[in-house]
Amino acid sequence: QKEVEQDPGPLSVPEGAIVSLNCTYSNSAFQYFMWYRQYSRKGPELLMYTYSSGNKEDGRFTAQVDKSSKYISLFIRDSQPSDSATYLCAAYNFNKFYFGSGTKLNVKP
Amino acid sequence: GAVVSQHPSWVICKSGTSVKIECRSLDFQATTMFWYRQFPKQSLMLMATSNEGSKATYEQGVEKDKFLINHASLTLSTLTVTSAHPEDSSFYICSANSGSSYNEQFFGPGTRLTVL
């Protein structure tokens, strides 16, 4: 079983839709969780991070962690075509990052 | 924000040759650098972790004699793919962590290696 599991998609939504991206993880010791955005043939860029359980909001993006179910989510409100990219979730523990496989998102104008 | 560069961005080489990829932290000192490999439509696979001045720690299944990592300074790490073969063709991405914050891992733009 992989440390972090993520549905690869692709996920296609119309512009303006609310997008929900999800991951599950297996190691209950994980405390830090991140979401990265990766455009084609580029390195990932950090979008948001959260510590332990709870929500964190940044503009149109909300990251959510539910440690009881080992579930992490990223919500994108009012999605834009420029949001089209691959989104990677990650968990951090002891100086090592564990990445999900990435979900490819396509926002259609 | 912190910037990590990689050079070259794309390299094509013949089978059997060695290729060196550089990863530089441009505006901060990176105590730790990570090297990842990414196949199409797949996630990042950690290859090794390198700390300045010490030997790299390789992940299980990664051949340390084939993928040589040198972290000679706090701003530079190099990955050398020795005797490259077509199956080594991939997207190699480095990241750097300044050590000031666990989550501040900054990624380079990646290097696409094509081995003919």
Side-chain angles (χ1 to χ4, degrees):
Chain A
Q1 182 185 12
K2 287 186 64 178
E3 299 275 7
V4 179
E5 299 272 6
Q6 185 175 8
D7 186 338
L11 181 62
S12 186
V13 301
E15 182 176 355
I18 297 174
V19 176
S20 173
L21 303 168
N22 306 292
C23 294
T24 58
Y25 63 94
S26 57
N27 190 340
S28 58
F30 288 153
Q31 294 283 1
Y32 301 99
F33 305 92
M34 284 72 70
W35 282 96
Y36 290 86
R37 178 174 61 196
Q38 185 177 24
Y39 293 109
S40 182
R41 301 193 177 190
K42 301 290 184 183
E45 56 175 322
L46 178 67
L47 274 179
M48 299 184 69
Y49 73 92
T50 52
Y51 171 72
S52 194
S53 283
N55 292 359
K56 187 171 185 179
E57 188 173 321
D58 184 1
R60 297 185 293 111
F61 298 87
T62 300
Q64 191 174 78
V65 176
D66 182 346
K67 292 201 72 181
S68 62
S69 58
K70 299 191 183 70
Y71 204 79
I72 50 180
S73 302
L74 178 70
F75 299 97
I76 306 174
R77 291 183 298 280
D78 188 25
S79 56
Q80 302 294 310
S82 58
D83 295 328
S84 298
T86 296
Y87 290 80
L88 297 155
C89 60
Y92 174 86
N93 196 36
F94 296 118
N95 203 33
K96 188 179 282 190
F97 292 81
Y98 300 87
F99 287 88
S101 57
T103 299
K104 187 169 185 177
L105 172 66
N106 180 33
V107 181
K108 299 174 290 184
Chain B
V3 179
V4 175
S5 71
Q6 276 184 246
H7 177 80
S9 57
W10 195 1
V11 57
I12 302 173
C13 69
K14 292 182 178 180
S15 185
T17 60
S18 293
V19 174
K20 180 185 283 188
I21 302 170
E22 291 186 349
C23 177
R24 292 182 184 273
S25 56
L26 299 186
D27 50 3
F28 68 101
Q29 294 185 324
T31 54
T32 305
M33 286 185 168
F34 303 87
W35 285 97
Y36 295 87
R37 186 173 178 174
Q38 188 177 35
F39 291 104
K41 299 183 180 181
Q42 294 189 28
S43 188
L44 302 166
M45 184 194 80
L46 179 64
M47 299 174 67
T49 302
S50 73
N51 293 292
E52 186 266 338
S54 62
K55 289 184 178 181
T57 302
Y58 289 82
E59 294 299 301
Q60 192 173 10
V62 178
E63 299 175 60
K64 62 180 181 181
D65 294 329
K66 180 168 184 61
F67 299 99
L68 301 178
I69 292 172
N70 187 328
H71 194 155
S73 76
L74 286 172
T75 59
L76 173 65
S77 176
T78 60
L79 167 68
T80 301
V81 183
T82 62
S83 186
H85 288 90
E87 58 266 28
D88 298 324
S89 299
S90 188
F91 195 51
Y92 292 87
I93 305 175
C94 73
S95 70
N97 187 320
S98 67
S100 61
S101 180
Y102 66 90
N103 66 305
E104 289 201 314
Q105 180 183 206
F106 302 99
F107 284 88
T111 296
R112 182 161 300 281
L113 171 63
T114 301
V115 184
L116 302 176

